[in-house]
């Protein structure tokens, strides 16, 4: 069994790319740390480190272990913090995974209010698509997920939030399509599209885009919207995205046009079934119920 201490040592070496620098950071001797790393490799039966003249790099197995070690250490810290909550004052950490949605502004207002009233509560947001958020929720690295029309699974409890999002097309203001009030699938025929990985995270969303699939080609995909905006601005193509995430006002060279449809997917908050929540997380869920779900 790998000790947590060894994982912390390994992460320090991976970060510093040097046994000497990592040893200084950890306040142990260089020979001790070097032996610990060799013992770790021996126990796993894998080479983790490539010891170069100027720096240490990770092997493929080393990179894999670094990812897992970070998850393990994060989960341990999260668990320890939940036990350190005060009896009178609510403290602790809340871990929330969320896609990029304009309507989460209402949730952020609740986050701000809770934090002002309970300065000992810290919020940690992880932005990503559905697959990444669900993976981290399954591993216990997140308490709550907020996604657009997630695929319903018996492993989770769902709360439908009273918010809908509008899908549309982000384009340059000098595009011919910018003169239209809305965009149809036919308008996108033979145009280069930049699509969001988030687009296909649920059966309902996927089915809609399959039914209305334009005869165009996908030139790029994106995870978060900022880089998609840069691609559109550079003239690479048209980005399918959600309204309100990119500034299209003033001097911005970009504009947004909604899809010509009645498809407005809803936002869902979901948690693992039978999950035990910290006091801080219970407070957050209660406020969501009182102020948003009523």
């Amino acid at each position: 069994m790998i000790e947590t201490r060894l994982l912390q040592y390994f992460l320090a070496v991976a970060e510093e790319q040097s046994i000497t620098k990592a040893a200084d950071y950890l306040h142990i001797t260089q020979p001790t740390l070097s032996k610990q790393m060799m013992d770790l490799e021996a126990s796993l039966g894998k080479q983790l480190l490539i010891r170069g003249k100027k720096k240490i790099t990770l092997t493929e197995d080393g990179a894999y272990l670094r990812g897992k070690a970070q998850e393990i250490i994060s989960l341990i810290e999260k668990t320890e913090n939940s036990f350190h909550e005060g009896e009178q004052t609510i403290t602790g950490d809340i871990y929330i995974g969320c896609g990029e949605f304009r309507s989460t502004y209402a949730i952020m207002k609740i986050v701000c209010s809770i934090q002002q009233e309970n300065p000992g509560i810290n919020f940690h947001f992880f932005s990503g698509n559905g697959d990444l958020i669900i993976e981290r929720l399954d591993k216990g690295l997140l308490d709550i997920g907020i996604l657009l029309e997630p695929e319903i699974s018996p492993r989770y409890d769902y709360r439908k939030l009273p918010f809908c999002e509008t899908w549309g097309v982000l384009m340059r203001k000098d595009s011919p399509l910018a003169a239209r009030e809305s965009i149809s699938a036919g308008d996108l025929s033979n145009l280069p599209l930049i699509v969001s990985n988030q687009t296909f995270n649920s059966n309902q969303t996927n089915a809609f885009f399959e039914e209305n699939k334009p005869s165009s080609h996908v030139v790029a995909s994106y995870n978060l919207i900022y880089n998609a905006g840069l691609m559109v601005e550079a003239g690479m193509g048209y980005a399918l995205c959600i309204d309100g995430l990119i500034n299209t006002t003033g001097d911005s060279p970009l504009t947004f046009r909604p899809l010509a449809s009645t498809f407005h997917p809803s936002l869902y908050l979901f948690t693992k079934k039978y999950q035990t929540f910290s006091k801080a997380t219970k407070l957050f869920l209660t406020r969501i119920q009182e102020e948003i779900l009523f």
Side-chain angles (χ1 to χ4, degrees):
M1 180 180 296
I2 304 175
E3 297 180 16
T4 304
R5 172 178 53 83
L6 286 182
L7 293 179
Q8 293 172 326
Y9 286 2
F10 172 74
L11 288 176
V13 173
E15 176 67 24
E16 298 294 338
Q17 298 182 332
S18 165
I19 292 287
T20 302
K21 292 181 180 179
D24 289 341
Y25 172 79
L26 295 167
H27 303 293
I28 61 176
T29 66
Q30 185 271 338
T32 298
L33 181 57
S34 182
K35 184 178 185 305
Q36 295 279 8
M37 291 300 97
M38 288 189 289
D39 289 345
L40 178 61
E41 290 178 316
S43 66
L44 293 174
K46 299 288 185 179
Q47 181 182 358
L48 305 173
L49 307 173
I50 300 174
R51 296 161 174 83
K53 292 182 178 179
K54 294 185 178 181
K55 68 176 183 179
I56 287 178
T57 57
L58 299 180
T59 64
E60 184 176 345
D61 290 318
Y64 174 80
L65 179 61
R66 178 175 59 183
K68 292 300 180 182
Q70 289 170 335
E71 291 178 359
I72 292 169
I73 298 300
S74 176
L75 184 56
I76 290 173
E77 291 175 349
K78 179 173 177 287
T79 303
E80 289 177 344
N81 289 337
S82 68
F83 280 98
H84 293 158
E85 295 177 351
E87 292 297 326
Q88 302 299 325
T89 303
I90 298 180
T91 63
D93 297 273
I94 303 174
Y95 295 81
I96 301 172
C98 187
E100 290 188 304
F101 313 115
R102 183 72 183 101
S103 55
T104 52
Y105 175 71
I107 294 174
M108 297 308 175
K109 291 178 67 177
I110 293 177
V111 167
C112 181
S113 176
I114 290 175
Q115 211 284 320
Q116 289 175 347
E117 297 165 5
N118 305 270
I121 294 179
N122 297 311
F123 288 86
H124 306 273
F125 279 87
F126 173 80
S127 297
N129 62 28
D131 291 339
L132 289 174
I133 289 173
I134 290 173
E135 178 185 354
R136 294 178 75 87
L137 197 69
D138 283 340
K139 292 178 178 179
L141 300 175
L142 295 175
D143 301 307
I144 297 164
I146 300 173
L147 285 176
L148 200 64
E149 298 284 354
E151 186 172 350
I152 301 300
S153 167
R155 304 198 310 272
Y156 304 104
D157 289 319
Y158 295 87
R159 297 171 175 85
K160 185 176 181 179
L161 301 175
F163 309 124
C164 293
E165 297 290 342
T166 299
W167 277 100
V169 183
L170 186 68
M171 65 188 77
R172 290 181 56 90
K173 287 179 179 176
D174 56 9
S175 164
L177 292 184
R180 299 181 180 272
E181 292 186 1
S182 61
I183 306 298
S184 68
D187 293 330
L188 298 175
S189 295
N190 302 316
L191 294 179
L193 292 186
I194 302 165
V195 301
S196 166
N197 297 329
Q198 170 174 285
T199 303
F200 306 103
N201 281 335
S202 75
N203 290 335
Q204 183 177 354
T205 308
N206 189 36
F208 170 81
F209 279 104
E210 282 298 317
E211 292 172 5
N212 297 273
K213 192 173 183 179
S215 56
S216 54
H217 61 287
V218 174
V219 296
S221 64
Y222 66 93
N223 183 25
L224 301 178
I225 188 64
Y226 181 76
N227 283 334
L230 294 179
M231 286 188 276
V232 174
E233 185 174 345
M236 189 171 175
Y238 296 76
L240 287 173
C241 64
I242 291 172
D243 190 15
L245 299 180
I246 289 286
N247 178 33
T248 57
T249 61
D251 295 332
S252 171
L254 305 179
T255 190
F256 177 90
R257 293 294 181 269
L259 292 174
S261 72
T262 57
F263 177 68
H264 298 284
S266 298
L267 215 60
Y268 283 77
L269 182 150
F270 61 105
T271 56
K272 287 176 68 175
K273 281 189 174 180
Y274 315 116
Q275 183 173 345
T276 301
F277 297 113
S278 66
K279 291 180 181 179
T281 304
K282 286 180 181 178
L283 174 62
F284 174 74
L285 292 173
T286 298
R287 294 285 288 272
I288 291 289
Q289 180 68 41
E290 293 174 348
E291 300 182 30
I292 293 181
L293 297 176
F294 305 102

PDB file of all heavy atoms in Angstrom, residues 219-242:
ATOM      1  N   VAL A 219     -14.751  22.065 -38.096  1.00  0.00           N
ATOM      2  CA  VAL A 219     -13.324  22.328 -38.255  1.00  0.00           C
ATOM      3  C   VAL A 219     -12.593  22.312 -36.922  1.00  0.00           C
ATOM      4  O   VAL A 219     -11.369  22.209 -36.878  1.00  0.00           O
ATOM      5  CB  VAL A 219     -13.083  23.685 -38.952  1.00  0.00           C
ATOM      6  CG1 VAL A 219     -13.635  23.657 -40.363  1.00  0.00           C
ATOM      7  CG2 VAL A 219     -13.693  24.828 -38.150  1.00  0.00           C
ATOM      8  N   ALA A 220     -13.345  22.429 -35.814  1.00  0.00           N
ATOM      9  CA  ALA A 220     -12.708  22.433 -34.494  1.00  0.00           C
ATOM     10  C   ALA A 220     -13.766  22.174 -33.424  1.00  0.00           C
ATOM     11  O   ALA A 220     -14.963  22.356 -33.657  1.00  0.00           O
ATOM     12  CB  ALA A 220     -12.011  23.774 -34.214  1.00  0.00           C
ATOM     13  N   SER A 221     -13.296  21.738 -32.261  1.00  0.00           N
ATOM     14  CA  SER A 221     -14.177  21.591 -31.104  1.00  0.00           C
ATOM     15  C   SER A 221     -13.523  22.301 -29.927  1.00  0.00           C
ATOM     16  O   SER A 221     -12.322  22.573 -29.939  1.00  0.00           O
ATOM     17  CB  SER A 221     -14.415  20.111 -30.778  1.00  0.00           C
ATOM     18  OG  SER A 221     -13.207  19.485 -30.386  1.00  0.00           O
ATOM     19  N   TYR A 222     -14.317  22.611 -28.919  1.00  0.00           N
ATOM     20  CA  TYR A 222     -13.782  23.312 -27.763  1.00  0.00           C
ATOM     21  C   TYR A 222     -14.421  22.798 -26.488  1.00  0.00           C
ATOM     22  O   TYR A 222     -15.510  22.217 -26.509  1.00  0.00           O
ATOM     23  CB  TYR A 222     -14.005  24.828 -27.886  1.00  0.00           C
ATOM     24  CG  TYR A 222     -15.462  25.258 -27.848  1.00  0.00           C
ATOM     25  CD1 TYR A 222     -16.071  25.616 -26.645  1.00  0.00           C
ATOM     26  CD2 TYR A 222     -16.232  25.326 -29.009  1.00  0.00           C
ATOM     27  CE1 TYR A 222     -17.400  26.014 -26.605  1.00  0.00           C
ATOM     28  CE2 TYR A 222     -17.552  25.726 -28.970  1.00  0.00           C
ATOM     29  CZ  TYR A 222     -18.134  26.076 -27.771  1.00  0.00           C
ATOM     30  OH  TYR A 222     -19.447  26.463 -27.732  1.00  0.00           O
ATOM     31  N   ASN A 223     -13.714  23.007 -25.389  1.00  0.00           N
ATOM     32  CA  ASN A 223     -14.204  22.602 -24.079  1.00  0.00           C
ATOM     33  C   ASN A 223     -14.848  23.789 -23.370  1.00  0.00           C
ATOM     34  O   ASN A 223     -15.972  23.714 -22.909  1.00  0.00           O
ATOM     35  CB  ASN A 223     -13.049  22.035 -23.242  1.00  0.00           C
ATOM     36  CG  ASN A 223     -13.497  21.532 -21.900  1.00  0.00           C
ATOM     37  OD1 ASN A 223     -14.653  21.174 -21.728  1.00  0.00           O
ATOM     38  ND2 ASN A 223     -12.610  21.511 -20.932  1.00  0.00           N
ATOM     39  N   LEU A 224     -14.125  24.903 -23.272  1.00  0.00           N
ATOM     40  CA  LEU A 224     -14.639  26.131 -22.688  1.00  0.00           C
ATOM     41  C   LEU A 224     -14.659  27.226 -23.745  1.00  0.00           C
ATOM     42  O   LEU A 224     -13.881  27.210 -24.696  1.00  0.00           O
ATOM     43  CB  LEU A 224     -13.797  26.531 -21.467  1.00  0.00           C
ATOM     44  CG  LEU A 224     -13.746  25.477 -20.350  1.00  0.00           C
ATOM     45  CD1 LEU A 224     -12.846  25.940 -19.213  1.00  0.00           C
ATOM     46  CD2 LEU A 224     -15.146  25.175 -19.822  1.00  0.00           C
ATOM     47  N   ILE A 225     -15.530  28.204 -23.565  1.00  0.00           N
ATOM     48  CA  ILE A 225     -15.915  29.097 -24.647  1.00  0.00           C
ATOM     49  C   ILE A 225     -14.847  30.120 -25.050  1.00  0.00           C
ATOM     50  O   ILE A 225     -14.835  30.583 -26.188  1.00  0.00           O
ATOM     51  CB  ILE A 225     -17.229  29.831 -24.274  1.00  0.00           C
ATOM     52  CG1 ILE A 225     -17.787  30.635 -25.452  1.00  0.00           C
ATOM     53  CG2 ILE A 225     -17.006  30.733 -23.070  1.00  0.00           C
ATOM     54  CD1 ILE A 225     -18.198  29.794 -26.629  1.00  0.00           C
ATOM     55  N   TYR A 226     -13.945  30.491 -24.154  1.00  0.00           N
ATOM     56  CA  TYR A 226     -13.031  31.600 -24.457  1.00  0.00           C
ATOM     57  C   TYR A 226     -12.228  31.352 -25.732  1.00  0.00           C
ATOM     58  O   TYR A 226     -12.133  32.212 -26.610  1.00  0.00           O
ATOM     59  CB  TYR A 226     -12.088  31.854 -23.278  1.00  0.00           C
ATOM     60  CG  TYR A 226     -11.141  33.009 -23.512  1.00  0.00           C
ATOM     61  CD1 TYR A 226     -11.580  34.324 -23.420  1.00  0.00           C
ATOM     62  CD2 TYR A 226      -9.802  32.780 -23.849  1.00  0.00           C
ATOM     63  CE1 TYR A 226     -10.712  35.389 -23.657  1.00  0.00           C
ATOM     64  CE2 TYR A 226      -8.940  33.844 -24.083  1.00  0.00           C
ATOM     65  CZ  TYR A 226      -9.399  35.138 -23.977  1.00  0.00           C
ATOM     66  OH  TYR A 226      -8.540  36.183 -24.220  1.00  0.00           O
ATOM     67  N   ASN A 227     -11.631  30.155 -25.828  1.00  0.00           N
ATOM     68  CA  ASN A 227     -10.827  29.856 -27.014  1.00  0.00           C
ATOM     69  C   ASN A 227     -11.686  29.785 -28.274  1.00  0.00           C
ATOM     70  O   ASN A 227     -11.228  30.126 -29.366  1.00  0.00           O
ATOM     71  CB  ASN A 227     -10.061  28.549 -26.827  1.00  0.00           C
ATOM     72  CG  ASN A 227      -8.857  28.717 -25.930  1.00  0.00           C
ATOM     73  OD1 ASN A 227      -8.303  29.806 -25.820  1.00  0.00           O
ATOM     74  ND2 ASN A 227      -8.446  27.653 -25.273  1.00  0.00           N
ATOM     75  N   ALA A 228     -12.944  29.345 -28.124  1.00  0.00           N
ATOM     76  CA  ALA A 228     -13.843  29.315 -29.281  1.00  0.00           C
ATOM     77  C   ALA A 228     -14.065  30.731 -29.795  1.00  0.00           C
ATOM     78  O   ALA A 228     -14.097  30.970 -31.005  1.00  0.00           O
ATOM     79  CB  ALA A 228     -15.170  28.671 -28.900  1.00  0.00           C
ATOM     80  N   GLY A 229     -14.209  31.690 -28.862  1.00  0.00           N
ATOM     81  CA  GLY A 229     -14.375  33.081 -29.269  1.00  0.00           C
ATOM     82  C   GLY A 229     -13.170  33.600 -30.037  1.00  0.00           C
ATOM     83  O   GLY A 229     -13.315  34.345 -31.026  1.00  0.00           O
ATOM     84  N   LEU A 230     -11.983  33.203 -29.611  1.00  0.00           N
ATOM     85  CA  LEU A 230     -10.772  33.617 -30.320  1.00  0.00           C
ATOM     86  C   LEU A 230     -10.713  33.012 -31.721  1.00  0.00           C
ATOM     87  O   LEU A 230     -10.282  33.670 -32.679  1.00  0.00           O
ATOM     88  CB  LEU A 230      -9.533  33.215 -29.517  1.00  0.00           C
ATOM     89  CG  LEU A 230      -9.328  33.909 -28.167  1.00  0.00           C
ATOM     90  CD1 LEU A 230      -8.074  33.378 -27.489  1.00  0.00           C
ATOM     91  CD2 LEU A 230      -9.239  35.421 -28.332  1.00  0.00           C
ATOM     92  N   MET A 231     -11.151  31.761 -31.840  1.00  0.00           N
ATOM     93  CA  MET A 231     -11.156  31.118 -33.154  1.00  0.00           C
ATOM     94  C   MET A 231     -12.119  31.827 -34.100  1.00  0.00           C
ATOM     95  O   MET A 231     -11.814  32.053 -35.278  1.00  0.00           O
ATOM     96  CB  MET A 231     -11.515  29.638 -33.018  1.00  0.00           C
ATOM     97  CG  MET A 231     -10.402  28.782 -32.431  1.00  0.00           C
ATOM     98  SD  MET A 231     -10.753  27.003 -32.483  1.00  0.00           S
ATOM     99  CE  MET A 231     -11.744  26.803 -31.002  1.00  0.00           C
ATOM    100  N   VAL A 232     -13.300  32.184 -33.587  1.00  0.00           N
ATOM    101  CA  VAL A 232     -14.274  32.901 -34.415  1.00  0.00           C
ATOM    102  C   VAL A 232     -13.726  34.270 -34.799  1.00  0.00           C
ATOM    103  O   VAL A 232     -13.813  34.691 -35.959  1.00  0.00           O
ATOM    104  CB  VAL A 232     -15.611  33.050 -33.657  1.00  0.00           C
ATOM    105  CG1 VAL A 232     -16.580  33.921 -34.459  1.00  0.00           C
ATOM    106  CG2 VAL A 232     -16.233  31.684 -33.397  1.00  0.00           C
ATOM    107  N   GLU A 233     -13.151  34.967 -33.838  1.00  0.00           N
ATOM    108  CA  GLU A 233     -12.598  36.294 -34.109  1.00  0.00           C
ATOM    109  C   GLU A 233     -11.502  36.236 -35.169  1.00  0.00           C
ATOM    110  O   GLU A 233     -11.374  37.142 -36.007  1.00  0.00           O
ATOM    111  CB  GLU A 233     -12.043  36.898 -32.820  1.00  0.00           C
ATOM    112  CG  GLU A 233     -11.552  38.324 -32.968  1.00  0.00           C
ATOM    113  CD  GLU A 233     -11.136  38.934 -31.652  1.00  0.00           C
ATOM    114  OE1 GLU A 233     -11.485  38.380 -30.592  1.00  0.00           O
ATOM    115  OE2 GLU A 233     -10.441  39.978 -31.682  1.00  0.00           O
ATOM    116  N   ALA A 234     -10.736  35.141 -35.169  1.00  0.00           N
ATOM    117  CA  ALA A 234      -9.659  34.992 -36.148  1.00  0.00           C
ATOM    118  C   ALA A 234     -10.179  34.609 -37.534  1.00  0.00           C
ATOM    119  O   ALA A 234      -9.408  34.576 -38.493  1.00  0.00           O
ATOM    120  CB  ALA A 234      -8.655  33.947 -35.658  1.00  0.00           C
ATOM    121  N   GLY A 235     -11.475  34.311 -37.639  1.00  0.00           N
ATOM    122  CA  GLY A 235     -12.057  33.970 -38.927  1.00  0.00           C
ATOM    123  C   GLY A 235     -12.053  32.497 -39.250  1.00  0.00           C
ATOM    124  O   GLY A 235     -12.210  32.112 -40.411  1.00  0.00           O
ATOM    125  N   MET A 236     -11.914  31.664 -38.220  1.00  0.00           N
ATOM    126  CA  MET A 236     -11.807  30.219 -38.447  1.00  0.00           C
ATOM    127  C   MET A 236     -13.156  29.582 -38.766  1.00  0.00           C
ATOM    128  O   MET A 236     -13.221  28.580 -39.470  1.00  0.00           O
ATOM    129  CB  MET A 236     -11.194  29.562 -37.211  1.00  0.00           C
ATOM    130  CG  MET A 236     -10.840  28.111 -37.377  1.00  0.00           C
ATOM    131  SD  MET A 236      -9.900  27.529 -35.939  1.00  0.00           S
ATOM    132  CE  MET A 236      -9.761  25.794 -36.325  1.00  0.00           C
ATOM    133  N   GLY A 237     -14.244  30.155 -38.224  1.00  0.00           N
ATOM    134  CA  GLY A 237     -15.542  29.564 -38.484  1.00  0.00           C
ATOM    135  C   GLY A 237     -16.615  30.144 -37.589  1.00  0.00           C
ATOM    136  O   GLY A 237     -16.472  31.233 -37.017  1.00  0.00           O
ATOM    137  N   TYR A 238     -17.707  29.383 -37.457  1.00  0.00           N
ATOM    138  CA  TYR A 238     -18.870  29.782 -36.672  1.00  0.00           C
ATOM    139  C   TYR A 238     -18.993  28.825 -35.486  1.00  0.00           C
ATOM    140  O   TYR A 238     -18.982  27.605 -35.668  1.00  0.00           O
ATOM    141  CB  TYR A 238     -20.142  29.704 -37.515  1.00  0.00           C
ATOM    142  CG  TYR A 238     -20.158  30.658 -38.694  1.00  0.00           C
ATOM    143  CD1 TYR A 238     -19.408  30.388 -39.845  1.00  0.00           C
ATOM    144  CD2 TYR A 238     -20.922  31.815 -38.662  1.00  0.00           C
ATOM    145  CE1 TYR A 238     -19.422  31.257 -40.931  1.00  0.00           C
ATOM    146  CE2 TYR A 238     -20.944  32.693 -39.746  1.00  0.00           C
ATOM    147  CZ  TYR A 238     -20.191  32.399 -40.868  1.00  0.00           C
ATOM    148  OH  TYR A 238     -20.205  33.262 -41.947  1.00  0.00           O
ATOM    149  N   ALA A 239     -19.149  29.369 -34.290  1.00  0.00           N
ATOM    150  CA  ALA A 239     -19.192  28.528 -33.094  1.00  0.00           C
ATOM    151  C   ALA A 239     -20.620  28.326 -32.616  1.00  0.00           C
ATOM    152  O   ALA A 239     -21.365  29.282 -32.396  1.00  0.00           O
ATOM    153  CB  ALA A 239     -18.360  29.151 -31.974  1.00  0.00           C
ATOM    154  N   LEU A 240     -21.014  27.056 -32.478  1.00  0.00           N
ATOM    155  CA  LEU A 240     -22.272  26.729 -31.822  1.00  0.00           C
ATOM    156  C   LEU A 240     -22.043  26.848 -30.317  1.00  0.00           C
ATOM    157  O   LEU A 240     -21.149  26.199 -29.771  1.00  0.00           O
ATOM    158  CB  LEU A 240     -22.703  25.305 -32.177  1.00  0.00           C
ATOM    159  CG  LEU A 240     -23.229  25.078 -33.593  1.00  0.00           C
ATOM    160  CD1 LEU A 240     -23.452  23.586 -33.838  1.00  0.00           C
ATOM    161  CD2 LEU A 240     -24.519  25.843 -33.817  1.00  0.00           C
ATOM    162  N   CYS A 241     -22.829  27.672 -29.646  1.00  0.00           N
ATOM    163  CA  CYS A 241     -22.603  27.901 -28.226  1.00  0.00           C
ATOM    164  C   CYS A 241     -23.880  28.393 -27.556  1.00  0.00           C
ATOM    165  O   CYS A 241     -24.927  28.537 -28.206  1.00  0.00           O
ATOM    166  CB  CYS A 241     -21.470  28.909 -28.017  1.00  0.00           C
ATOM    167  SG  CYS A 241     -21.825  30.556 -28.662  1.00  0.00           S
ATOM    168  N   ILE A 242     -23.772  28.673 -26.279  1.00  0.00           N
ATOM    169  CA  ILE A 242     -24.888  29.181 -25.488  1.00  0.00           C
ATOM    170  C   ILE A 242     -24.795  30.686 -25.394  1.00  0.00           C
ATOM    171  O   ILE A 242     -23.698  31.257 -25.296  1.00  0.00           O
ATOM    172  CB  ILE A 242     -24.877  28.523 -24.093  1.00  0.00           C
ATOM    173  CG1 ILE A 242     -25.227  27.036 -24.223  1.00  0.00           C
ATOM    174  CG2 ILE A 242     -25.847  29.203 -23.146  1.00  0.00           C
ATOM    175  CD1 ILE A 242     -25.063  26.261 -22.943  1.00  0.00           C
TER     176      ILE A 242
END
